[in-house]
Amino acid sequence: MSEIDPREKPSLKLNKNSLKNSIRIFKYIKPYAWYFGLAMVFLVVGSLIFMALMGLPGEMANTAIGKPKFNLDLDVKDYGWLFLIILIFQGILSYFRTYYFAIVSEKGMSDLRKDLYEKIITQPVVFFEEKRVGELTSRITADVEQLQSVFSITLAEFIRQLVILISGIIIIFIWMPKLSMIMLLTFPAIVVSAMIFGRYIRKLSKQRQDELAKTNTIVEETFQSFSIVKSFANEWYESVRYGKAVDEIVKISLNFAKMRGIFFTFIITILFGGIFFILWQGALMLQRGEMEAGDLFSFIMYTGILGGAIASFGTLYTQIVSAIGATERIQEILDTPSELEVLKSDSFTDMKIKGDVKYDNITFAYPTRKDMTILKGINIDIKAGQKIALVGQSGGGKSTIVQLLMKFYNPDSGSILVDGNNINTYDLTQFRKNIGIVPQEVILFGGTIRENIAYGKPNASEKDINLAAQQSNSLEFITSFPQGMDTIVGERGIKLSGGQRQRIAIARAILKNPKILILDEATSSLDAESEKLVQEAMDKLMENRTSIIIAHRLSTIRDVDCIYVLDNGKIIEQGTHNELISNENGIYASLAKLQFELTSSID
């Protein structure tokens, strides 16, 4: 469980390229452009009405003392009704603005989640070897959630505060030019200082977010492999590991809190100090008769609103920049080429193959371990319907051979032919539909038995599912459960025994009805009774199918057409069981003798 410190990644900077990449995410908003446009109109209109409304109390005070600044032809008592009408209209605008922004963010980010999941699930195997599950989960949850928050709240609030700031400055310059000039001389320095503070806060916020992602990775790793954790009695070790990661979050969070505390102190002392200085100057002007009391009252309200708008820009800017970082991480995945295109319909015509398989001088090293060649000049020829077995020590390349056939990887040299055609010429999805696999470690989904069997053919009828269960020797134990086919198997099939999981996997393969079958040590971890039932089911499954069996128990492969013995990535022996056993000096004969003697001594 190697740990990757996310802070080693270069910090995000807001520049032309990052903005250009982030704007691409707006394609998910484009289908809902009308809603977005209407929401923006309601936002701007509502903000302007709000700013106009804030000037009415001062004008009402001027009217009360008989010195109105504007000729509104209103009595003091009329202002009450005017306030009520404007507030109701403002509330209606706010409702539709909020609802339309929600439509844009919910539907747009829903489309993004679907595309992101589709892009991840269609990546080649090597992608998942290089990426951690926690990191990918964070992209599709936390990063998308961050974008959704920006589109539904942050962006709207940023624009609203911008409209308030611009319109507010225009209003007070027209209304009270002298006092506004005093404000203009003091505010820029305060705003620049606020932005500097915001930069440091943004950096600490990113560090905290990265550390949080790190703890989520630890949680997912240990929860997914909890049986390993418990079997090694490493609960304490994992708790300490998680505790250290959480302590690091606390450390960064406290630094974050200190900086925010300093920032709030700055806001209270400097920003509002500047506001009070301006108000003090306004009071002096009022005393000298240079302005009316209502005008000062309005200026106080506008100054407070403008101060709040400026103070909010630091936080809003941080949130937007963080969202740009999330956008870049998401865009990186979306720009990664997929190994296949997801078919949107099952209405296509299935590709049918006979099942002739030929490995022609295959050499291969895993992309993540290029310095270690796994297969060295492999040649295997399998006719349609034949059964062959791959045996040898662990690490000899047996599983790699079948992984290449399924196109999880591409060989470095040589070619694999199916029905005389290079497998690279076939549509990948259609080709894989012709291959079935029963692995050693069966992983079931956490739903019902029916759903797990039907995974081999999602549109299968109930009759076909029951027939597959019967042919795999599964129906008897399934019907013994109170819920039958609707029995929940639990996370990764934990509620079923090893033999039951294997038979469900065989039922799944039977339902898929593949022309090429891969059995990867399917009985190696079963007891004698379970092995007998599973072997009977596999014998039925292998009928009239090209079958490739990876086996450690040589007793299960006596009747195959050809056995290939691998050692250090090379085929060193091949032939039938009887041919290989007759070579007393051969590796296969030695393995068989050792296994059969061991079995006899146990019996």
Side-chain angles (χ1 to χ4, degrees):
M1 295 183 184
S2 61
E3 295 181 6
I4 301 170
D5 190 347
R7 288 171 296 169
E8 293 178 0
K9 298 176 182 178
S11 60
L12 176 70
K13 293 182 179 180
L14 189 59
N15 52 41
K16 185 178 179 181
N17 287 334
S18 62
L19 283 172
K20 187 178 179 181
N21 284 329
S22 301
I23 288 172
R24 292 165 60 194
I25 214 73
F26 274 86
K27 72 177 183 179
Y28 292 97
I29 304 301
K30 191 176 180 181
Y32 315 102
W34 276 104
Y35 290 110
F36 188 76
L38 285 172
M40 291 298 294
V41 169
F42 289 141
L43 174 68
V44 172
V45 172
S47 300
L48 293 175
I49 290 175
F50 169 75
M51 292 304 291
L53 182 64
M54 291 301 100
L56 287 180
E59 184 64 10
M60 181 176 63
N62 287 339
T63 303
I65 62 175
K67 296 180 179 180
K69 192 175 185 69
F70 302 102
N71 187 22
L72 298 178
D73 198 24
L74 292 174
D75 193 69
V76 173
K77 63 181 179 181
D78 297 328
Y79 277 93
W81 291 106
L82 182 60
F83 284 138
L84 180 61
I85 293 169
I86 292 176
L87 287 172
I88 291 173
F89 185 60
Q90 176 80 358
I92 293 171
L93 290 175
S94 297
Y95 169 80
F96 282 106
R97 180 201 78 200
T98 304
Y99 181 63
Y100 287 158
F101 271 126
I103 290 175
V104 172
S105 64
E106 291 293 339
K107 293 189 175 182
M109 293 306 101
S110 172
D111 294 341
L112 174 59
R113 278 195 178 94
K114 292 172 186 175
D115 282 359
L116 190 57
Y117 178 80
E118 182 180 306
K119 179 62 73 170
I120 292 172
I121 205 69
T122 55
Q123 291 300 311
V125 172
V126 69
F127 175 86
F128 293 94
E129 292 175 345
E130 294 172 345
K131 303 282 186 181
R132 302 176 79 171
V133 172
E135 181 187 348
L136 295 175
T137 304
S138 181
R139 296 294 81 81
I140 208 168
T141 53
D143 283 349
V144 175
E145 193 69 34
Q146 205 170 27
L147 282 178
Q148 185 167 349
S149 176
V150 165
F151 280 117
S152 61
I153 300 172
T154 309
L155 185 60
E157 189 62 22
F158 184 83
I159 294 171
R160 192 174 81 89
Q161 296 297 346
L162 193 62
V163 171
I164 286 173
L165 183 65
I166 294 171
S167 60
I169 291 173
I170 292 172
I171 289 171
I172 61 174
F173 263 92
I174 293 173
W175 202 331
M176 293 146 279
K178 189 173 181 181
L179 202 55
S180 300
M181 288 301 298
I182 297 173
M183 186 186 74
L184 186 62
L185 293 173
T186 56
F187 259 50
I190 297 173
V191 171
V192 170
S193 301
M195 290 182 67
I196 292 172
F197 271 112
R199 181 180 177 184
Y200 285 105
I201 290 175
R202 185 169 69 251
K203 183 179 178 182
L204 289 172
S205 175
K206 183 181 183 301
Q207 286 185 2
R208 185 180 182 279
Q209 214 42 41
D210 289 340
E211 283 296 329
L212 191 59
K214 183 178 171 183
T215 61
N216 289 340
T217 299
I218 294 173
V219 170
E220 289 198 21
E221 282 182 345
T222 51
F223 285 2
Q224 286 176 350
S225 308
F226 77 95
S227 58
I228 301 297
V229 174
K230 290 191 174 295
S231 64
F232 282 90
N234 268 344
E235 292 93 338
W236 177 82
Y237 168 76
E238 294 297 347
S239 294
V240 170
R241 191 162 76 104
Y242 181 72
K244 287 180 179 178
V246 172
D247 289 342
E248 189 64 26
I249 291 178
V250 172
K251 181 180 175 182
I252 293 173
S253 297
L254 290 178
N255 289 333
F256 184 43
K258 287 178 184 176
M259 189 55 67
R260 279 190 303 155
I262 294 172
F263 183 68
F264 291 146
T265 302
F266 166 80
I267 293 295
I268 292 170
T269 56
I270 305 300
L271 181 59
F272 286 105
I275 292 172
F276 286 128
F277 171 75
I278 295 167
L279 296 181
W280 174 59
Q281 290 294 317
L284 292 175
M285 290 173 64
L286 179 64
Q287 190 178 49
R288 294 193 297 265
E290 296 177 7
M291 64 187 306
E292 302 299 335
D295 295 342
L296 179 60
F297 181 67
S298 295
F299 188 83
I300 291 172
M301 292 193 69
Y302 280 121
T303 305
I305 292 168
L306 293 177
I310 293 170
S312 68
F313 277 129
T315 302
L316 294 172
Y317 178 76
T318 300
Q319 292 173 354
I320 290 173
V321 171
S322 297
I324 289 173
T327 302
E328 290 198 327
R329 291 190 293 268
I330 289 171
Q331 204 68 57
E332 181 184 346
I333 294 177
L334 291 174
D335 290 341
T336 305
S338 300
E339 69 169 356
L340 55 86
E341 291 297 324
V342 173
L343 299 172
K344 305 297 183 184
S345 171
D346 291 331
S347 60
F348 53 80
T349 304
D350 286 336
M351 178 187 77
K352 295 297 182 184
I353 64 174
K354 292 191 301 180
D356 291 326
V357 179
K358 183 177 181 180
Y359 290 78
D360 185 11
N361 199 28
I362 295 295
T363 301
F364 175 73
Y366 283 101
T368 53
R369 303 196 307 262
K370 279 297 183 183
D371 57 330
M372 186 181 297
T373 303
I374 304 298
L375 299 180
K376 305 166 184 176
I378 296 296
N379 292 286
I380 298 175
D381 197 354
I382 315 167
K383 301 301 179 185
Q386 280 189 335
K387 302 173 184 62
I388 68 110
L390 304 174
V391 300
Q393 295 181 345
S394 296
K398 303 184 298 296
S399 296
T400 305
I401 287 175
V402 298
Q403 287 175 342
L404 291 177
L405 177 61
M406 298 185 72
K407 278 191 65 63
F408 288 172
Y409 308 94
N410 291 315
D412 295 329
S413 64
S415 58
I416 302 175
L417 308 178
V418 170
D419 292 352
N421 299 314
N422 192 307
I423 59 174
N424 291 330
T425 63
Y426 291 119
D427 177 85
L428 187 54
T429 301
Q430 292 284 356
F431 177 67
R432 284 180 180 164
K433 284 181 177 292
N434 285 273
I435 301 176
I437 183 168
V438 180
Q440 178 183 9
E441 183 185 353
V442 175
I443 298 176
L444 301 181
F445 296 96
T448 65
I449 291 176
R450 177 186 288 102
E451 289 169 345
N452 275 283
I453 294 176
Y455 200 75
K457 188 179 179 183
N459 59 352
S461 65
E462 190 71 18
K463 181 181 177 182
D464 290 338
I465 293 172
N466 285 321
L467 182 60
Q470 182 181 357
Q471 292 175 341
S472 65
N473 290 340
S474 304
L475 199 57
E476 184 178 349
F477 80 78
I478 292 173
T479 53
S480 69
F481 294 141
Q483 286 80 32
M485 284 285 185
D486 293 318
T487 301
I488 301 295
V489 302
E491 190 76 20
R492 300 166 72 92
I494 196 171
K495 293 183 180 180
L496 302 181
S497 69
Q500 289 171 338
R501 288 198 296 270
Q502 287 287 4
R503 280 176 277 170
I504 293 296
I506 292 171
R508 191 160 60 188
I510 290 172
L511 193 61
K512 187 177 184 181
N513 192 26
K515 294 303 293 182
I516 300 173
L517 181 65
I518 297 169
L519 302 173
D520 189 356
E521 303 184 44
T523 63
S524 63
S525 59
L526 303 179
D527 58 74
E529 183 179 353
S530 296
E531 181 182 354
K532 181 176 180 295
L533 291 169
V534 171
Q535 191 62 51
E536 288 176 0
M538 288 197 305
D539 289 341
K540 295 176 185 176
L541 178 60
M542 286 188 289
E543 290 178 2
N544 302 318
R545 289 186 173 91
T546 303
S547 302
I548 301 174
I549 307 163
I550 298 175
H552 278 159
R553 294 190 183 183
L554 304 185
S555 58
T556 63
I557 57 170
R558 290 184 175 184
D559 299 326
V560 301
D561 297 297
C562 188
I563 299 170
Y564 293 86
V565 184
L566 284 94
D567 183 49
N568 195 28
K570 296 180 179 179
I571 296 173
I572 54 174
E573 295 177 12
Q574 67 182 76
T576 64
H577 172 77
N578 291 332
E579 289 171 350
L580 294 175
I581 206 77
S582 63
N583 181 11
E584 295 182 359
N585 297 323
I587 291 181
Y588 182 83
S590 300
L591 290 172
K593 184 179 179 182
L594 184 64
Q595 283 195 19
F596 296 149
E597 283 180 356
L598 183 61
T599 303
S600 299
S601 64
I602 293 174
D603 294 340

